[in-house]
Structure formats: structure tokens, C-alpha cells
């Protein structure tokens, strides 16, 4: 069964450093998403991406964040200068088409720890 | 204020018991999705409900979407220890891209 994969599974970084989180969405999916989950809190939407453009973003997704689809299979989330409060699980998701009834499938997540 | 309120927050039952968990909102959703999440892992999709009043069954799990498409329930029959986990409902009232998640119901089924 096709699945979303993410690398690395864990990342430890120093405050102020740049990190890139990587995702390989399900191959025939066209819509890609990033969510985060701070420990003990609910899953929060960050950004959605379609046709090489951001289609929607939340207030969390500020100028420190960027997304890219560098090739036909990868989808990345970059945090330019990490803060302590960026420590969280980051989940990538993908769907065949846009919102509404379309189901999003999630990857296993990257646990980011900023020291 | 939570867009999606899930109840109860925690539930501890014995194997063989039945249970129902709820996902409520004041907003109308074009669809709601139910996920199950294990500690340290990503949400795994269980079902998507789309039509008001719809009932979907997944083995011992029964999902219902309210007639007004503002709420949903998950009923588990004869719970087993393997059902232990965090059950999340999620949806976007704007029929867009951003899934709003509830805080979840943490279920513990003991043998």
C-alpha cells in the first residue's frame, strides 16, 4: 500500500540553525501539506502546496518557514533559524485532490528538538 | 475555543466493553475524517464521512456523521487491547486544504 515517507525520523539542532525536513508523498498525489504537533498538544496545520505554489498557510507559517518541491518526488520544509518553540513532531501529508472530502494521508513524522 | 471538541478526553475500559466517542462542532463540515495516532507516530486514517447521516463500518468500529454535518461519533463494539490509542477527528469547515484537528480521545483498553 502506498505511503508517505519522511526523513529524518529524528533531528536535533541548535537554536538559530537551519533545518530541512524531507517528505516523499504518495506518488499520484498532487496536494502536499505540512502539520506540526507540539508535545501534548493537537495537530496543527502549517501549509498546503499545489502546482509548485503555496495554496494556503496558517499564522504559524511565518517567514522562517519555506516549502519546496525540488524534484518530482520530494517535498521539503525548511526552517531558516530554529527557535526553541519549533521543537515538535512535523508531519507531512498528501492527497489526490484538494480539500473538502479529499482524504489526507500522513507520514510517520520527524521529531525535531531544538536546543 | 476549539473548532472540533472531542469527548471524552480520556477513556479507560476493559476488554469486551462497548464505547462511543464524540466529535462536535458549531460549524458545518463538508466531510470529517477520523484518524488513530500511536505515541510518536503519524495519524493513520480510519475513515472519511461525507454525507449527513452517513454510517460507515470498519470491522468493530462504526462511524456516524450527524445529519447537519456538524458532529460525528465513533462506536467501538467489544473493544480489544489493540484498540488502545488516540482517536482524532479532523475536518475543514471551509472545504479547503487545512485540516483542523480535535484534541482527541485517548482510549485505553485493558485485558
Amino acid at each position: 500500500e502506498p505511503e508517505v515517507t519522511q526523513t529524518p525520523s529524528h533531528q536535533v539542532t541548535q537554536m538559530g540553525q537551519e533545518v530541512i525536513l524531507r517528505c516523499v508523498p504518495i506518488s499520484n498525489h498532487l496536494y502536499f501539506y505540512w502539520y506540526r504537533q507540539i508535545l501534548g498538544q493537537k495537530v496543527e496545520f502549517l501549509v498546503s502546496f499545489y502546482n509548485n505554489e503555496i495554496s494556503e498557510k496558517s499564522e504559524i507559517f511565518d517567514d522562517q518557514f519555506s516549502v519546496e518541491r525540488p524534484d518530482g518526488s520530494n517535498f521539503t520544509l525548511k526552517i531558516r533559524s530554529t527557535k526553541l518553540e519549533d521543537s515538535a513532531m512535523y508531519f507531512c501529508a498528501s492527497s489526490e485532490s484538494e480539500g473538502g472530502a479529499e482524504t489526507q494521508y500522513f507520514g510517520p513524522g520527524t521529531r525535531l528538538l531544538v536546543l | 475555543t476549539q473548532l472540533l471538541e472531542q469527548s471524552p478526553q480520556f477513556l479507560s475500559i476493559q476488554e469486551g466493553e462497548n464505547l462511543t466517542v464524540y466529535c462536535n462542532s458549531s460549524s458545518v463540515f463538508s466531510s470529517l475524517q477520523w484518524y488513530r495516532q500511536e505515541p510518536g507516530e503519524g495519524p493513520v486514517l480510519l475513515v472519511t464521512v461525507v454525507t449527513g447521516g452517513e454510517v460507515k463500518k470498519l470491522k468493530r468500529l462504526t462511524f456516524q456523521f450527524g445529519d447537519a454535518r456538524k458532529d460525528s461519533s465513533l462506536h467501538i463494539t467489544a473493544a480489544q487491547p489493540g484498540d488502545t490509542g488516540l482517536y482524532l477527528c479532523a475536518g475543514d469547515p471551509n472545504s479547503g486544504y487545512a485540516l483542523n484537528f480535535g484534541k482527541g480521545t485517548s482510549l485505553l483498553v485493558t485485558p
Side-chain angles (χ1 to χ4, degrees):
Chain A
E1 186 173 329
E3 57 183 19
V4 177
T5 59
Q6 291 185 241
T7 55
S9 58
H10 296 79
Q11 173 100 39
V12 180
T13 190
Q14 295 289 326
M15 191 170 58
Q17 294 296 304
E18 174 184 288
V19 295
I20 297 176
L21 310 183
R22 291 181 168 80
C23 168
V24 178
I26 294 173
S27 62
N28 64 329
H29 285 187
L30 302 176
Y31 293 79
F32 316 117
Y33 314 85
W34 285 101
Y35 291 79
R36 78 170 185 191
Q37 187 176 31
I38 295 171
L39 187 64
Q41 297 186 23
K42 67 173 188 171
V43 178
E44 300 174 291
F45 170 78
L46 293 178
V47 67
S48 61
F49 191 84
Y50 169 70
N51 199 25
N52 284 319
E53 289 186 339
I54 289 174
S55 42
E56 190 172 350
K57 61 182 181 179
S58 71
E59 292 177 354
I60 303 168
F61 194 87
D62 61 21
D63 292 344
Q64 291 299 312
F65 292 89
S66 62
V67 289
E68 191 179 27
R69 185 143 164 91
D71 53 46
S73 59
N74 289 285
F75 179 50
T76 61
L77 174 69
K78 181 193 290 186
I79 310 175
R80 287 190 184 81
S81 178
T82 50
K83 307 183 188 76
L84 296 176
E85 54 265 36
D86 293 328
S87 295
M89 283 286 283
Y90 287 81
F91 296 110
C92 173
S94 69
S95 64
E96 276 190 72
S97 60
E98 66 179 294
E102 192 52 53
T103 297
Q104 295 182 24
Y105 294 87
F106 283 74
T110 293
R111 183 179 298 279
L112 175 66
L113 178 60
V114 182
L115 302 176
Chain B
T1 304
Q2 294 290 322
L3 186 63
L4 287 166
E5 297 278 356
Q6 291 192 247
S7 61
Q9 190 176 356
F10 300 99
L11 188 56
S12 180
I13 61 171
Q14 293 204 312
E15 183 175 3
E17 291 184 23
N18 301 332
L19 66 116
T20 302
V21 299
Y22 301 92
C23 174
N24 295 303
S25 179
S26 57
S27 299
V28 176
F29 290 82
S30 59
S31 68
L32 279 178
Q33 299 172 20
W34 283 91
Y35 293 86
R36 186 173 129 184
Q37 186 179 28
E38 303 289 344
E41 297 182 12
V44 175
L45 178 75
L46 297 174
V47 78
T48 300
V49 286
V50 178
T51 306
E54 181 178 13
V55 176
K56 281 192 173 178
K57 293 197 173 186
L58 188 67
K59 297 183 182 177
R60 292 176 294 100
L61 278 59
T62 301
F63 303 85
Q64 185 160 9
F65 201 12
D67 291 340
R69 291 186 287 123
K70 292 183 178 181
D71 54 81
S72 183
S73 63
L74 159 59
H75 181 80
I76 302 179
T77 304
Q80 298 177 1
D83 295 327
T84 294
L86 181 66
Y87 289 83
L88 301 167
C89 66
D92 183 355
N94 301 313
S95 300
Y97 306 101
L99 282 181
N100 284 273
F101 279 81
K103 288 187 174 180
T105 292
S106 181
L107 173 65
L108 174 64
V109 182
T110 53

